[in-house]
Amino acid sequence: MIVCSCSMISAQDIHDAVSALRTKDPFVVLTPGLIYKTLGKRPSCGSCLPLITKLMVGYDEEGPSSAASLPHRSPFDNTPRAR
């Protein structure tokens, strides 16, 4: 599916960019601009940005290398509770 007809970006391109970015840095903050930069493209009219954001978040949440799937430990886990 073509997501951005101005820059000819497909849903698969977004998926691949999210996967590559997460592999490189699991804690990178994903933005549509970063997706464009990773793909070597620039947004033109911007009407696709909401859809790119939706796909980006969806692909990020489903991937095994997403930061959400990494174990997270709160700095307060070993702190005694105040009474």
Side-chain angles (χ1 to χ4, degrees), residues 24-51:
K24 185 177 178 183
D25 180 2
F27 299 104
V28 68
V29 176
L30 296 176
T31 64
L34 184 57
I35 298 297
Y36 270 98
K37 185 177 179 181
T38 301
L39 296 172
K41 303 185 183 237
R42 299 181 85 175
S44 182
C45 72
S47 65
C48 61
L49 294 178
L51 179 55

Side-chain angles (χ1 to χ4, degrees), residues 9-83:
I9 296 175
S10 70
Q12 184 62 47
D13 293 333
I14 295 169
H15 182 274
D16 294 345
V18 168
S19 178
L21 288 165
R22 282 292 176 221
T23 299
K24 185 177 178 183
D25 180 2
F27 299 104
V28 68
V29 176
L30 296 176
T31 64
L34 184 57
I35 298 297
Y36 270 98
K37 185 177 179 181
T38 301
L39 296 172
K41 303 185 183 237
R42 299 181 85 175
S44 182
C45 72
S47 65
C48 61
L49 294 178
L51 179 55
I52 287 177
T53 301
K54 187 179 224 178
L55 290 171
M56 177 184 71
V57 169
Y59 292 142
D60 191 35
E61 289 176 350
E62 76 183 25
S65 63
S66 73
S69 68
L70 296 175
H72 174 74
R73 193 166 161 205
S74 169
F76 304 106
D77 285 347
N78 291 330
T79 307
R81 295 183 185 198
R83 291 184 185 189

